[in-house]
Amino acid sequence: MKEWMSQWGRQPLVIAGPCSAETYDQLYTTAKAVRDQGIRLVRAGVWKPRTRPNNFEGVGEEALFWMDDIRKELDVAFAIEVGNPQHVELALKHDIDVLWIGARSTVNPFTVQEIAEALTGTDKPILVKNPINPELALWFGALERLANRNIKNLGAIHRGFSFFGESRFRNVPAWHMAIELKREMPDLPLICDPSHISGDRNMIQEISQIALDLNYDGLIIETHPDPVNAWSDAKQQVNPAMLHDILRSLRYPEAASEHPEFRNKLEEIRHGIDVADREILEALHRRMQLVDQIGEYKRAHNLTVLDLDRWQEILESRQKWGKHLNLKKSFIRDLYMLIHQGSIRRQTKIMNKD
Ligand code: PEP
Ligand code: MN
């Protein structure tokens, strides 16, 4: 665990507090309630980036004066979002403990660069939320821009990604993207934001548990004394009692790498997985050879690459076979989309060779 993270005691780190600082009393009440649960890092939005105008946009600098007072009185630390160099200047003037860059800023390299320059050399922890669109390079890019300005205490917040259409998530988690970030930057603390992923206070527990099972280093959970009447993100905030229940009900798994006694058993099972994967790849190789044969045949007889009836039949029959093998329909569908795309690509190449 990074030093900047362990200073607030809890492992994994928990950051809790309102989406937005609304009034002195609201902020004080929340900070006290979470501190009484042993949480010492309190989040609160001071300037709120709203997707559409005419929503509450934060109280601005006034909230920083509240934080000055509450911090002294309750011995808590504060984390806030900064969206431009003026925010940075004010946050540093008020000695705010942790700053984060919001999802709508991470998408914009100009904004990130300006913020990074304003932060040059700071030893404050700076957390970078994933960009709203699922583009890993923007997330890396923001972290690199900060690292280039000699900022060492970095972390990432996974808050999910925008999409078009229906989903039970407000922002789909796309867990594999955060895992990819961690694979490239193994020392970077990774914090999950189940509030913005779900958009629903009844899903916070479920998403937090997934994050812990994936070995995340912390959680940031929007907490408000009266969530239903919150001035922003009312549906996803929990009250302090609910936060307490969620944190108590979570299972806190141990990293296998820290337990040599479990290694042998894991290695034995992993060997089985290696063998199964080799079989999968060999079967794919066989399938692609047959695909090439069909491609040659279609070329010789000038037949189309795509045969919709056959593709329809493949999708349906494989989903049915999968069902008997306890494999989810959507999983088989996604898998065959990929396999079919690969097959079409190979056949198209064969059709068009000189
Ligand atoms: C927030 O944390 O309240 C917020 C605005 O988050 P995001 O940048 O993830 O939308
Ligand atoms: Mn919010």
Side-chain angles (χ1 to χ4, degrees), residues 18-20 43-45 47-51 81 100-106 129-130 132 157-160 170-171 193 195-197 220 222 232-233 236:
C19 176
S20 308
R43 65 151 283 153
W47 301 278
K48 298 304 297 177
R50 306 316 299 271
T51 302
E81 171 174 353
W100 84 77
I101 296 180
R104 288 162 197 74
S105 302
T106 309
K129 286 202 169 195
N130 67 255
I132 44 181
I157 300 177
H158 175 204
R159 52 77 83 194
R170 177 177 176 192
N171 294 289
D193 176 346
S195 310
H196 290 90
I197 289 179
I220 178 166
E222 285 190 341
S232 58
D233 287 351
Q236 70 195 32

Side-chain angles (χ1 to χ4, degrees), residues 176-283:
H176 55 282
M177 296 212 22
I179 293 169
E180 206 44 32
L181 181 83
K182 193 80 182 165
R183 200 168 62 82
E184 287 280 329
M185 299 181 166
D187 292 334
L188 184 79
L190 180 60
I191 294 168
C192 178
D193 176 346
S195 310
H196 290 90
I197 289 179
S198 66
D200 175 354
R201 68 181 125 270
N202 295 313
M203 287 169 69
I204 305 294
Q205 202 272 349
E206 171 196 342
I207 295 168
S208 301
Q209 186 64 64
I210 296 175
L212 294 185
D213 288 337
L214 293 173
N215 205 19
Y216 277 51
D217 304 286
L219 299 168
I220 178 166
I221 301 179
E222 285 190 341
T223 309
H224 189 287
D226 181 14
V228 178
N229 292 306
W231 298 0
S232 58
D233 287 351
K235 284 197 202 124
Q236 70 195 32
Q237 303 203 60
V238 295
N239 66 27
M242 192 168 173
L243 177 73
H244 181 260
D245 289 348
I246 290 170
L247 294 176
R248 212 188 34 191
S249 71
L250 289 171
R251 207 171 11 80
Y252 293 87
E254 309 256 359
S257 51
E258 282 158 31
H259 287 270
E261 67 274 25
F262 299 142
R263 282 247 191 86
N264 287 347
K265 184 66 191 168
L266 286 179
E267 252 156 44
E268 186 188 315
I269 302 172
R270 282 179 180 152
H271 175 69
I273 291 179
D274 288 348
V275 171
D277 277 347
R278 195 162 263 286
E279 286 167 5
I280 291 173
L281 291 176
E282 278 162 6

Side-chain angles (χ1 to χ4, degrees), residues 1-2 5-14 38-39 212 215-219 247 251-255 258:
M1 169 87 59
K2 290 265 168 182
M5 285 194 91
S6 50
Q7 64 182 300
W8 291 294
R10 254 186 117 104
Q11 212 179 341
L13 176 67
V14 177
I39 296 166
L212 294 185
N215 205 19
Y216 277 51
D217 304 286
L219 299 168
L247 294 176
R251 207 171 11 80
Y252 293 87
E254 309 256 359
E258 282 158 31

